[in-house]
Amino acid sequence: MYSFMGGGLFCAGVGNILLIVSTATDYWMQYRHSSNYMLQDLWRYCVPGKCMTHTDSIAYWDATRAFMILSLLACFIGIVIGVMAFIHYSSFDGFDKTFAAGILFFISCFFVLLAMAVYTGVTVNYYGKRYGSWRFSWSYIMGWVAVVLTFFSGIFYMCAYRMHECPRNSNSR
């Protein structure tokens, strides 16, 4: 049980770091415009030597930002509850902390998956038609890696929950 929780905490910790870096950095997409490479992220865009904040409130940026922030929060709360389950913290005995952490990691995975899907769909349809030379960059890729890591965190914690619950259920028969 502890090896599953340890693996889940490791994946969640790395996933949360990747979510923070992915959300905060400028390298979601690169495209060529007027023989210069430009960078774009969720908060600003950069031309060579200068970065400016997005002044437009475009729905897909707002949705991607919101889902990334919700994912960060769910993952962070899941880590806190997961650590409490790992060290057998006795407060909040009214609910199973292992199960709650697993659910929060799945919720985090769902939110970051939504964020990445929204951003991918709009970017491919808009920039793919407008600019010939564009590509997703490393911040964007970190977001997809965070999807996988938060998913496996949820899997690990659900496995730990099942291992913890199975002996209880077999004794009650």
Side-chain angles (χ1 to χ4, degrees):
M1 179 172 88
Y2 289 110
S3 60
F4 282 123
M5 283 197 285
L9 281 175
F10 176 76
C11 287
V14 173
N16 205 29
I17 290 168
L18 291 180
L19 284 170
I20 291 168
V21 170
S22 176
T23 304
T25 54
D26 296 329
Y27 296 92
W28 277 62
M29 190 193 62
Q30 294 178 333
Y31 59 96
R32 192 171 197 78
H33 184 65
S34 301
S35 73
N36 290 320
Y37 274 107
M38 313 218 356
L39 301 172
Q40 176 184 307
D41 72 339
L42 303 177
W43 311 101
R44 60 188 189 163
Y45 63 97
C46 300
V47 296
K50 185 166 113 174
C51 291
M52 293 148 295
T53 59
H54 293 295
T55 55
D56 299 333
S57 180
I58 298 175
Y60 87 96
W61 281 332
D62 293 340
T64 305
R65 290 175 194 149
F67 287 137
M68 290 296 283
I69 291 169
L70 287 171
S71 176
L72 274 164
L73 292 174
C75 190
F76 180 75
I77 294 168
I79 289 171
V80 170
I81 292 174
V83 167
M84 288 170 42
F86 190 78
I87 63 172
H88 291 293
Y89 188 70
S90 61
S91 292
F92 308 111
D93 284 335
F95 69 96
D96 193 318
K97 291 178 278 299
T98 308
F99 183 76
I103 293 298
L104 282 166
F105 293 140
F106 282 131
I107 290 170
S108 176
C109 177
F110 178 70
F111 281 144
V112 72
L113 180 65
L114 280 175
M116 300 308 291
V118 166
Y119 189 84
T120 302
V122 173
T123 301
V124 167
N125 285 327
Y126 179 72
Y127 287 100
K129 295 174 183 172
R130 189 168 180 198
Y131 300 106
S133 178
W134 69 275
R135 65 181 178 172
F136 292 115
S137 195
W138 60 268
S139 296
Y140 171 83
I141 294 167
M142 282 185 168
W144 280 110
V145 174
V147 169
V148 173
L149 289 174
T150 55
F151 177 75
F152 280 113
S153 298
I155 293 290
F156 283 140
Y157 262 84
M158 286 301 156
C159 289
Y161 171 73
R162 291 293 295 160
M163 287 182 70
H164 180 68
E165 286 298 309
C166 285
R168 274 194 219 165
N169 291 339
S170 63
N171 290 338
S172 63
R173 291 181 188 173

